Amino acid sequence: VNVGAESIGENKVEIFPNPTRGSFKVQLDEGYDFVNIHIYNTAGKLILNKYYKNNAEMKLNLKDQPSGVYFINILYDNKSVSKKIILK
């Protein structure tokens, strides 16, 4: 089951693997000048804030966090995509 792909017009955001044991990738359809990724726990607490420049693929890791559901907000090219990731 892949719960990590979402299409926005012609743009596509993929998060894989999902569920994950810690390490995962966020992949966009192309590299953007500026990408900001926020990850929140279910209590709404910001646990990770990363900035990328000219990247289409970003590697992230939640290995130090407890198992559960996390929410990822990806901001790029004046767009915002919210996704859910499951940490085993």
Side-chain angles (χ1 to χ4, degrees), residues 5-45:
E6 177 174 316
S7 294
I8 304 174
E10 295 180 22
N11 299 317
K12 189 173 183 182
V13 175
E14 292 185 60
I15 298 174
F16 58 92
N18 190 10
T20 180
R21 295 197 182 279
S23 296
F24 63 96
K25 294 178 184 179
V26 174
Q27 187 165 341
L28 304 175
D29 60 337
E30 61 182 86
Y32 291 92
D33 290 337
F34 179 76
V35 178
N36 186 4
I37 297 179
H38 298 164
I39 301 180
Y40 299 89
N41 64 17
T42 53
K45 181 181 177 187

Side-chain angles (χ1 to χ4, degrees), residues 2 5 10 17 19 24 31 35 38 41 43 47 58 62 66 78 83 87:
N2 183 0
E10 295 180 22
F24 63 96
V35 178
H38 298 164
N41 64 17
I47 59 165
M58 286 77 43
L62 293 176
N78 294 319
K83 303 294 292 174
L87 179 62

Side-chain angles (χ1 to χ4, degrees), residues 38-73:
H38 298 164
I39 301 180
Y40 299 89
N41 64 17
T42 53
K45 181 181 177 187
L46 180 66
I47 59 165
L48 186 66
N49 185 15
K50 292 273 198 174
Y51 296 94
Y52 298 92
K53 190 170 183 172
N54 296 321
N55 282 23
E57 183 176 281
M58 286 77 43
K59 296 178 184 177
L60 297 142
N61 199 323
L62 293 176
K63 68 176 182 172
D64 296 329
Q65 298 299 319
S67 297
V69 175
Y70 292 85
F71 300 96
I72 302 174
N73 190 14

